[in-house]
Amino acid sequence: MTADVLALASDHGALELKALLKTHAESLGLTVVDLGTHGTESVDYPDVADAMAAALKDGTASRGVLLCGTGIGISIAANRHPFIRAALVHDAYGARLCREHNDANVLVLGGRTTGPEIAKQCLELFLSTPFEGGRHQRRVDKMNKTP
């Protein structure tokens, strides 16, 4: 598993933003694994979230970005997986804190609710911000426990 590999996936509601973020991530020197979708035909976001979970679990990528129309549905679907910490963010502050405090491994954005420049800024912060650890580690450890 390498930190230079990013998995990227969306449903049909965020194709444009996914394409923009793929290009941006590649311009930052990352290898992007595009898990789909690749067309405008309706797909179910739980299936997209499952594909992301599989890519992270098997080591295809170390982090991921998920997108749907609002980001809400796909973040709920992704967080069903015990090793996923998917954070729906709307701005740079959230993108930074989801890494610093929550050790998020999946950034979630809404294709219909997030502008392109904000999305690029969120991606950059998500990729460059380290986990702070400390008092936050015990909280992440609690989230990592399987019920």
Side-chain angles (χ1 to χ4, degrees):
M1 177 167 33
T2 174
D4 293 341
V5 178
L6 179 73
L8 187 62
S10 75
D11 74 357
H12 56 281
L15 283 174
E16 283 184 39
L17 190 57
K18 182 178 72 119
L20 177 124
L21 291 177
K22 180 178 182 181
T23 300
H24 190 61
E26 290 170 341
S27 78
L28 297 172
L30 293 157
T31 299
V32 176
V33 176
D34 187 341
L35 302 173
T37 193
H38 302 290
T40 58
E41 185 175 320
S42 180
V43 297
D44 297 331
Y45 54 79
D47 297 335
V48 177
D50 290 348
M52 176 64 69
L56 294 179
K57 189 172 185 177
D58 72 14
T60 298
S62 57
R63 290 194 202 166
V65 177
L66 283 171
L67 307 113
C68 71
T70 63
I72 297 168
I74 207 161
S75 65
I76 293 168
N79 280 314
R80 293 177 312 132
H81 300 274
F83 55 91
I84 298 287
R85 288 178 306 283
L88 172 58
V89 302
H90 303 285
D91 54 31
Y93 184 69
R96 181 175 59 82
L97 286 182
C98 81
R99 288 289 308 134
E100 283 181 356
H101 291 189
N102 309 112
D103 197 22
N105 56 359
V106 177
L107 174 68
V108 183
L109 299 167
R112 297 177 183 140
T113 60
T114 309
E117 293 308 312
I118 295 293
K120 290 193 294 188
Q121 186 179 37
C122 288
L123 177 64
E124 289 173 18
L125 284 164
F126 175 75
L127 295 171
S128 65
T129 303
F131 176 51
E132 197 173 277
R135 72 183 191 276
H136 305 293
Q137 185 63 59
R138 77 174 181 270
R139 296 166 185 158
V140 170
D141 290 344
K142 286 179 180 184
M143 287 188 286
N144 286 340
K145 285 185 183 174
T146 1

